[in-house]
Structures are given as C-alpha cells and as structure tokens.
Amino acid sequence: GAAAAAAAAPPLVGVVTASSISGLACLEGLLARGPHVRPPRAICRTLEKEAVVRYRLGEDVPLEFFQGASATDARTMARAFEGVSRLFLVTPHAAGRGQLARNMLRAAAEAGVERVVLVSSWSGGQDKPLFREDFTATEELCLELFPGRAAVLRPSFPFTRLIHQAREVRVRGRISLPLEASTRMAACDPEDIGHCAAALLSMPDEAFPGECGDVIHVTGPESLSCEDIAQAFSDVLARPITFNSSSLDAAVRSMREAGLPDWLTDFFVEANPCLRAGAIAEPSDAVQRLTGRRSTLRMWLSRNVYV
C-alpha cells in the first residue's frame, strides 16, 4: 500500500547553491527529465539568491524552494534536507569552504539523504595541504558517508574565470595570465558541471554512478594552450587578441588591489605551479558520455560576447 507507493515515487532532489551557474544548469537538466524526478528543491541561502533562480528559470517552473539554509547552522540544514533523497552539493566559494562543505555532508547523512553528487575541484587531486583542506578531505568524507552512493565532480578551470579578462581584452587587446604561452588547459563550461550532476542524480540505483566512476573529471573537449585561448578570442571578436605572460607577483598584486580575499589569493598562488605543470591539460570525455554535450571555448565566448 502506502509503503510501496512511497518506494515507487520519484526521488526528491535537492540542489544546494541553486543560484550558481552549475546549480541552475542542474535544475534545468533535472526539469528536462520530466517524470523521472519530482520537481526539485532549490536550496538557497538568501531571498536574493532565490530571486535569481526564479528570474533565470521563470516563475512558472515547477520547483520547491527552501530559503535560509546556512552551512554553519545545523538546524537550517536539517530543514533544507528534510525529505530529500538525492543531493547536488557545490563546495562553497568562501573562506573555510572545506569545513562548510563537510558540515553539509554530515547534515545530509543525518537527514537520510541516499545519494550525493559533490562538486569539488581539479585541485582535489593535487598533493598540497591547502587543497587537501579545501577539497580532498571533503571528497574522502563524501565517499565515506555515502559508500557506493556518491559521485565527486572535479571541474577543471572554468571558462567563466576568463570574464576577469574583459577589461584587458577591451582596452589592450590581450589576455594576461601568469602562465607560459604554451601552458595547456582543458578548461570547462560551468554549465556542464550541472548537467553532469543532473544525469548522475537521475540514474536508477542499479546504474549509478555509471562507467565514469565515482571521481569524475569535468573538462572541456579541447586541450588549449594560452595562445590557443587568445586565438579563440580573436576568432569570436573578429579582431587580434594576443596573450601576455604576466608574472605571478603582478597577478597577485592585481588581485589584492581589486579587493579579492586572502583565501582566494592563496589558492591562486598554490594552483599556479600545478597549472604550469599540466595538471588540467588532458581533456576527459565524461561530459560527452554523461550528457551528450560538447561545449567548446568558442561556443562559450560566442554566447557571452556582450561581456
């Protein structure tokens, strides 16, 4: 009777950081699957974040909302995760993000969440103390709390980081990064992160996590050098854009002058030698296998050329 009906009901999927690019893409991907999942729950920290979701997806889109969740308040997390059986969790972009993400994972386990897709970082695979605290320890806890029921997404350098180059491109006709011209990256479209998560959260239990495994590298389909990236800008903007190899000190100074926090600057400094050594040079086919999408840098630039 009632127990059988409950077991047959589509799972309720919760999406934490629903207003982020990957969160919105996950919601879109889940909604596109129609009857396979119930209307997902968009979990937002503030009313302003909820408004972003409503604006981007539309007021008429069938969503549940939970507004007021905080990774530092176990009571709000317990309410946010109540009734949720599958969860998309993005590591917060904030100071102490590793501990914040681990707080949410423990709250999800206590609430009875059955499956988790965690967004980590490519740096979770690097042997550095800062990366271990921010990402690797969280990945390990996720796989420990949800054995056989978790997938960790490790995105590479997201295309959206190139938005910070907008003024340099407009004023000087160049992009500037503290890397060599030959440094290669398989950068990714952040929307692909959400679409991969939607695919994983929609899988039947017997298929999860699928052939990609429980640690999945989310990259673009191309390995591009910094010169290739500049050429992509040139092609889309129809004017010459060059690459300038800036010093790491100059890049850090610029970040601090722009008011960026120390935790982000520290990550940037630690990541630089890893990027130079090719940590994210190799593309993965996981995005295409999970979603059928093939998002190139030129495609992303064309969609965001107004910036």
Side-chain angles (χ1 to χ4, degrees), residues 68-114:
S70 170
T72 59
D73 186 338
R75 292 173 299 177
T76 63
M77 287 188 288
R79 294 200 302 270
F81 300 155
E82 185 178 356
V84 170
S85 56
R86 299 179 183 181
L87 184 68
F88 176 57
L89 196 161
V90 180
T91 300
H93 190 64
R97 53 189 168 183
Q99 187 58 58
L100 294 174
R102 292 190 288 276
N103 289 348
M104 289 190 281
L105 285 169
R106 292 188 181 98
E110 290 174 7
V113 172
E114 298 168 3

Side-chain angles (χ1 to χ4, degrees), residues 5 18 22 44 51 66 75 102 136 170 173 206 210 275 297 299:
S22 57
C44 304
F66 182 92
R75 292 173 299 177
R102 292 190 288 276
T136 315
R170 285 197 306 269
E206 62 272 16
L275 295 176
L297 175 59
M299 291 165 62

Side-chain angles (χ1 to χ4, degrees), residues 3 9 20 35 37 75 86 102 129 141 150 189 193 203 228 237 252:
S20 67
V37 293
R75 292 173 299 177
R86 299 179 183 181
R102 292 190 288 276
L141 180 65
D189 184 338
I193 302 168
M203 285 181 181
D228 294 334
L237 298 176
V252 169

Side-chain angles (χ1 to χ4, degrees), residues 8-13 25-41 61-63 86 195 198-199 201-203:
L12 174 59
V13 179
C26 182
L27 289 170
E28 289 175 339
L30 292 168
L31 290 165
R33 284 164 168 77
H36 297 294
V37 293
R38 288 162 54 183
R41 180 179 296 169
V61 169
L63 288 175
R86 299 179 183 181
H195 284 286
L201 291 164
S202 302
M203 285 181 181

Side-chain angles (χ1 to χ4, degrees), residues 160-180:
T160 43
R161 298 281 168 84
L162 295 171
I163 289 175
H164 299 302
Q165 299 289 322
R167 186 178 185 279
E168 190 82 349
V169 168
R170 285 197 306 269
V171 175
R172 299 183 179 179
R174 69 184 191 184
I175 59 173
S176 294
L177 294 169
L179 301 169
E180 299 298 329

